[in-house]
Amino acid sequence: MKKLFLFFAILCSISLFAQSELKITTKKCIPKSGYYLQLQSVYDDSRCPEGVTCIWAGEVSATIEVYKDKKLVEEKTVTFNSKNKEENFKWFAGYFPKKIKSIGVAPYPKEGQIVKPKKQYIHVVFMD
């Protein structure tokens, strides 16, 4: 019973401090108004898988389409690595009113597992 109570106490504390987040997917349902970002594809994923020791952290690239009022206005290839983190934050910030805390491609690769393209998405976490 104590473990159950502790679990719910932790769950409640996490939800109180939850940050808003967004998943940019390959979903094809584009809203009629405003900006909408859609993931076109993820490729060149050389990130070091969990469970493996690597010399280089690696990087991953993604092509993102930007729609405004259902019209394609931009297609951008974004490379996620430690070198261009600020450049990526600046580009994404042009489409979101909230300050961005982190951006990345998910799910993160694991040793011996292949991630299906339909399962991949760009994960954007905003500061509250």
Side-chain angles (χ1 to χ4, degrees):
M1 186 68 176
K2 287 181 183 180
K3 288 182 181 179
L4 186 61
F5 176 75
L6 180 60
F7 172 75
F8 283 115
I10 291 171
L11 185 63
C12 289
S13 66
I14 290 171
S15 64
L16 287 175
F17 297 103
Q19 301 166 347
S20 57
E21 49 189 70
L22 172 70
K23 288 182 180 182
I24 300 172
T25 67
T26 57
K27 183 177 160 187
K28 301 288 184 194
C29 181
I30 301 168
K32 291 182 180 180
S33 62
Y35 282 105
Y36 179 79
L37 277 65
Q38 180 179 326
L39 178 62
Q40 186 64 26
S41 63
V42 174
Y43 56 94
D44 292 341
D45 192 349
S46 65
R47 296 175 291 175
C48 185
E50 290 178 11
V52 176
T53 303
C54 299
I55 297 171
W56 182 55
E59 64 185 24
V60 61
S61 297
T63 301
I64 303 166
E65 294 178 338
V66 180
Y67 293 86
K68 183 174 183 187
D69 303 334
K70 287 193 117 178
K71 293 183 182 183
L72 180 66
V73 293
E74 181 178 6
E75 184 173 291
K76 171 106 172 147
T77 298
V78 180
T79 301
F80 297 89
N81 62 30
S82 58
K83 295 177 193 171
N84 60 1
K85 183 179 175 181
E86 292 302 318
E87 178 186 328
N88 292 345
F89 272 57
K90 187 176 180 180
W91 185 80
F92 277 92
Y95 299 105
F96 301 113
K98 292 183 171 184
K99 188 169 181 172
I100 298 170
K101 182 176 182 179
S102 67
I103 308 166
V105 176
Y108 200 84
K110 293 182 182 177
E111 182 182 16
Q113 294 182 359
I114 297 172
V115 178
K116 295 179 183 177
K118 288 183 179 181
K119 300 264 183 186
Q120 294 176 314
Y121 60 93
I122 296 177
H123 188 228
V124 182
V125 179
F126 301 100
M127 293 184 183
D128 286 334

